[in-house]
Amino acid sequence: RMKTNQTILKEFVLVGFSVYPYAHTFLSVVFFCLYLLTLTGNLAIMYLTWVDRCLHTPMYLFLSALSFSETCYTLTITPKMLADLLAKNRSITIIGCGLQMCFFLGLGGTNCVILTLMGFDRFLAICNPLRYPLLMTNVVCGQLVVSAWVAGFIISVTETALIFRGSFCGPNLVKHFCCHMRAVVRLSCLDSELTELIVTAISVSALMGTFLLIILTYVFILSTVLRIPSAEGKQKAFSTCASHLTVVIIHFGFASIVYLKPGASGGDDTVIAVPYTVITPFLSPLIFSLRNKDMKNAFRKVLGKTSSLNK
């Protein structure tokens, strides 16, 4: 079912925050600071994992892989969003929009799978401590990270291809600050309702599937931890999971608000997407590094080396 008598579009205009013209300067300062802190936090985690041999373990390799995909994820959205907040012209070509959507969805999916793998890693370490070093080697860890990227991008290429398979009809206004799939699919000349239903179903299935797997691993972890006789042992086992579980709740909580919200329920999609696209990547390195003794020790070592070099 084609929409008739409509002009075929060559570019989109990202409406984004133009509904809040007075807040542009304030928002750009806030988002820029959050963006810098996000980059600093994630790059610090990657650097410390790289230089400190004590951190060359699967748990920290997964963490630096998550930091890398989080960094790429913010790079696909935030610079363009900041530029649009400061510029009058907020247009994006159809190809640019497709690429942004593909990377945004692919890296979001990769993050979900890496968080699931981190849960699986904790499950093996706590529930199978004797076999853990044999099962989870650094090589296996690397292969799992590659498979996370493959899985994330298979889903995103499928969704992007479904949305961009036809042409787009006017008006060319994308009611979002990025090429979010639900905002773009509504401009398709083809039957956009069916496409929207399919891509939303794929995203929700991927989101709920990975989340349920994490919950399952934590059920096993909890049943094992509760059988540990000493209180100290229980605390040690839980402390390695606390930061991961916190990030999982924030990540999947914000993502579900974006993807499980019914399309017809009104409300501003732009505002709803801010926590998921800007705040989650900022909080995740903060939680992982602040709650982690090994990370803090690695940071102190690096500081110690630099101060001794300066003397």
Side-chain angles (χ1 to χ4, degrees):
R1 183 172 64 83
M2 288 280 283
K3 294 173 187 169
T4 47
N5 302 334
Q6 299 249 334
T7 50
I8 301 295
L9 303 178
K10 294 280 179 284
E11 65 172 22
F12 295 128
V13 172
L14 298 169
V15 175
F17 298 101
S18 58
V19 217
Y20 314 103
Y22 304 109
H24 279 194
T25 314
F26 171 71
L27 288 172
S28 51
V29 170
V30 171
F31 291 153
F32 182 67
C33 293
L34 284 174
Y35 179 56
L36 279 186
L37 290 167
T38 304
L39 283 183
T40 310
N42 282 316
L43 291 171
I45 287 175
M46 287 188 277
Y47 176 71
L48 291 173
T49 310
W50 182 261
V51 295
D52 194 326
R53 296 204 64 81
C54 302
L55 300 181
H56 288 196
T57 62
M59 181 169 139
Y60 292 105
L61 293 176
F62 281 129
L63 179 53
S64 66
L66 181 70
S67 290
F68 180 68
S69 67
E70 289 268 21
T71 304
C72 298
Y73 176 79
T74 51
L75 281 170
T76 58
I77 301 294
T78 317
K80 172 73 179 146
M81 181 172 77
L82 288 169
D84 288 348
L85 274 170
L86 301 169
K88 291 280 174 279
N89 173 26
R90 288 183 291 272
S91 65
I92 186 168
T93 61
I94 302 272
I95 293 171
C97 189
L99 284 171
Q100 190 190 49
M101 186 189 294
C102 187
F103 279 103
F104 173 66
L105 290 170
L107 292 158
T110 303
N111 291 343
C112 288
V113 180
I114 291 176
L115 282 168
T116 311
L117 292 173
M118 289 170 93
F120 179 64
D121 173 64
R122 292 300 80 217
F123 158 72
L124 279 183
I126 291 167
C127 303
N128 271 319
L130 298 176
R131 296 185 61 204
Y132 175 71
L134 301 169
L135 294 170
M136 190 61 83
T137 60
N138 288 353
V139 174
V140 170
C141 175
Q143 289 166 340
L144 288 170
V145 169
V146 170
S147 67
W149 279 76
V150 172
F153 276 90
I154 284 174
I155 293 170
S156 86
V157 168
T158 308
E159 291 182 322
T160 310
L162 279 169
I163 291 168
F164 283 81
R165 72 186 193 280
S167 45
F168 293 90
C169 294
N172 68 342
L173 302 175
V174 175
K175 292 180 178 173
H176 215 290
F177 56 77
C178 66
C179 286
H180 195 273
M181 62 174 198
R182 280 176 119 171
V184 174
V185 75
R186 286 166 194 165
L187 305 179
S188 172
C189 299
L190 302 168
D191 189 348
S192 61
E193 279 169 22
L194 179 65
T195 311
E196 184 176 355
L197 190 71
I198 295 166
V199 291
T200 306
I202 294 170
S203 283
V204 170
S205 309
L207 205 63
M208 296 309 287
T210 47
F211 184 62
L212 289 172
L213 278 172
I214 294 172
I215 295 300
L216 193 65
T217 57
Y218 271 101
V219 169
F220 286 116
I221 288 170
L222 193 64
S223 66
T224 306
V225 170
L226 292 175
R227 290 201 299 269
I228 297 172
S230 71
E232 195 186 332
K234 281 193 177 90
Q235 166 135 33
K236 195 180 173 200
F238 271 133
S239 69
T240 61
C241 302
S243 47
H244 175 251
L245 201 52
T246 312
V247 171
V248 164
I249 290 163
I250 293 169
H251 179 93
F252 285 93
F254 284 149
S256 61
I257 295 168
V258 174
Y259 289 103
L260 302 180
K261 183 179 97 61
S265 70
D268 192 339
D269 282 347
T270 311
V271 175
I272 288 169
V274 168
Y276 182 55
T277 46
V278 182
I279 298 167
T280 307
F282 161 68
L283 287 176
S284 138
L286 204 66
I287 293 163
F288 276 122
S289 49
L290 284 180
R291 291 196 58 115
N292 193 298
K293 209 161 61 215
D294 298 333
M295 272 287 160
K296 287 180 193 165
N297 289 341
F299 187 58
R300 280 192 203 106
K301 271 190 227 168
V302 169
L303 284 182
K305 275 182 193 164
T306 28
S307 63
S308 64
L309 283 173
N310 290 338
K311 279 175 186 171

